[in-house]
């Protein structure tokens, strides 16, 4: 197996751009001159899973919060509608 022409520091910085800063693999490949296949190999060694980045995690957390808020809103609307119907029913009965 031949020795890589890239230093470990260069590999670490390149991987950091992708994993932590969320820069795309193809963009990093173009900027550094390293093939995307090589970058994917480095990422695999570093334990990176495809589609994983800081921004992706933030979006996922936001999506989860939005989903929970939508469910809560649906519940509150249903309760409001029930109370409206009950109020109308009792208002009509007392007159």
């Amino acid at each position: 197996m031949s020795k890589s022409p890239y230093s470990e520091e260069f590999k670490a910085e390149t991987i950091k751009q992708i994993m932590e800063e969320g820069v795309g693999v193809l963009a990093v490949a173009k900027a550094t001159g390293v093939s995307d296949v090589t970058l994917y190999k480095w990422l695999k060694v570093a334990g990176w899973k495809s589609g994983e980045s800081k921004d992706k995690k933030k979006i996922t957390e936001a999506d989860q919060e939005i989903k929970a808020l939508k469910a809560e809103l649906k519940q509150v609307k249903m309760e409001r509608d029930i109370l409206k119907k009950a109020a109308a029913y009792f208002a009509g009965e007392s007159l």
Side-chain angles (χ1 to χ4, degrees), residues 25-39:
V25 174
L26 296 178
V28 172
K30 186 175 180 180
T32 60
V34 178
S35 75
D36 59 326
V37 174
T38 301
L39 290 177

Side-chain angles (χ1 to χ4, degrees), residues 25-91:
V25 174
L26 296 178
V28 172
K30 186 175 180 180
T32 60
V34 178
S35 75
D36 59 326
V37 174
T38 301
L39 290 177
Y40 281 116
K41 286 179 185 177
W42 294 352
L43 290 166
K44 185 176 181 182
V45 169
W48 181 75
K49 293 182 179 36
S50 182
E52 182 179 287
S53 71
K54 254 187 179 178
D55 292 335
K56 185 76 169 178
K57 290 177 185 174
K58 287 180 184 177
I59 291 170
T60 302
E61 290 171 7
D63 288 341
Q64 289 174 348
E65 184 177 4
I66 289 170
K67 186 177 179 180
L69 290 171
K70 283 182 178 182
E72 184 180 353
L73 178 61
K74 183 178 177 181
Q75 177 70 27
V76 168
K77 284 182 176 181
M78 185 178 69
E79 291 171 357
R80 179 203 61 199
D81 292 343
I82 290 171
L83 289 172
K84 277 184 179 180
K85 289 176 184 178
Y89 175 79
F90 289 116

